[in-house]
């Protein structure tokens, strides 16, 4: 079975540019999560969706961050404009039944903002 | 919100030794999950716990959901080099839109 697929695996761009991260969850999983991982703050939940609807975006750091899920098999996390402090590894995860159930993680996108 | 305190931060052990790590919180949790993360990859679920007192094994790994529901433990027996990685605990409360992760325990196993 295909796992959670994220793209790109690595992204290096200059500050001020728009960044779009993509995720394809596991088929049949109703929940999709976006996380950010840094050395200083560890794994942080940014936003999650249930059946393509955003449920809780309280973890989104600021208005420069936005996420969409136009259908059950695709989600994007966008940063516009990007800043150096956004540099981190961004993970997408999905689960079948809920936030407190085991989540399957993608391999992440390592983002570097210069 | 509730915080998860995971310890130790790092461990350096010899191959064959047993390992123990834990997570504690000041709040009660309904679910405890343990993940392992290898370099360049996302966390992978090891064990999920849903009941206070529950003890669950997965091969050489054993995890327990504390009786007070405020802590959980993960033990690894007879460690091997491929056990190297970062181990995370995660907890959530039912009807609470929150899944918290511990800061991780970085395990190094010397052959």
């Amino acid at each position: 079975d295909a796992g959670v697929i994220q793209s790109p695996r690595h992204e290096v761009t200059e500050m001020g540019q728009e960044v779009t991260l993509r995720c394809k969850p596991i088929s049949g999983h109703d929940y999709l999560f976006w996380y950010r991982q840094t050395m200083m703050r560890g794994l942080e939940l940014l936003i999650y969706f249930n059946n393509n609807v955003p449920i809780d975006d309280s973890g989104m750091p600021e208005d420069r961050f936005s996420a969409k899920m136009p259908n059950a098999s695709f989600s994007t996390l966008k940063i516009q404009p990007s800043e150096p402090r956004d540099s981190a590894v961004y993970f997408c995860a999905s689960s079948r039944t809920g936030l407190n159930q085991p989540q399957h993680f993608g391999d992440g996108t390592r983002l570097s903002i210069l | 919100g509730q915080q998860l305190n995971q310890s130790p931060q790092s461990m350096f052990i010899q191959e064959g030794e047993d390992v123990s790590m834990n997570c504690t919180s000041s709040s009660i949790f309904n679910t405890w999950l343990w993940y392992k993360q290898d370099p360049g990859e996302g966390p992978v679920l090891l064990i999920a716990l849903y009941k206070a007192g529950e003890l669950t094994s997965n091969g050489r790994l054993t995890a327990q959901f504390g009786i007070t529901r405020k802590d959980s433990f993960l033990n690894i027996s007879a460690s091997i080099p491929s056990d190297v990685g970062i181990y995370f605990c995660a907890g959530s409360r039912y009807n609470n839109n929150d899944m918290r992760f511990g800061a991780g325990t970085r395990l190094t196993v010397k052959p």
Side-chain angles (χ1 to χ4, degrees), chain A residues 1-5 24-27 29 96 104:
Chain A
D1 288 342
V4 174
I5 299 173
K24 176 178 168 54
I26 292 174
S27 177
H29 283 194
R96 191 177 295 279
H104 299 259

Side-chain angles (χ1 to χ4, degrees), chain B residues 1-76:
Chain B
Q2 66 275 20
Q3 298 296 321
L4 291 186
N5 300 308
Q6 186 171 351
S7 65
Q9 284 189 328
S10 60
M11 302 183 73
F12 295 82
I13 62 171
Q14 286 290 141
E15 182 177 359
E17 289 183 0
D18 296 343
V19 173
S20 184
M21 60 192 79
N22 70 83
C23 260
T24 62
S25 173
S26 57
S27 301
I28 290 175
F29 283 80
N30 287 80
T31 300
W32 285 98
L33 305 171
W34 284 93
Y35 290 86
K36 182 193 177 196
Q37 185 177 21
D38 290 327
E41 299 182 11
V44 174
L45 180 73
L46 298 174
I47 293 178
L49 303 161
Y50 300 105
K51 293 182 183 178
E54 180 180 357
L55 184 71
T56 298
S57 293
N58 178 6
R60 293 177 297 104
L61 278 61
T62 302
Q64 183 162 26
F65 193 141
I67 291 292
T68 65
R69 300 171 70 185
K70 294 182 179 181
D71 58 6
S72 179
F73 302 86
L74 175 70
N75 295 319
I76 306 173

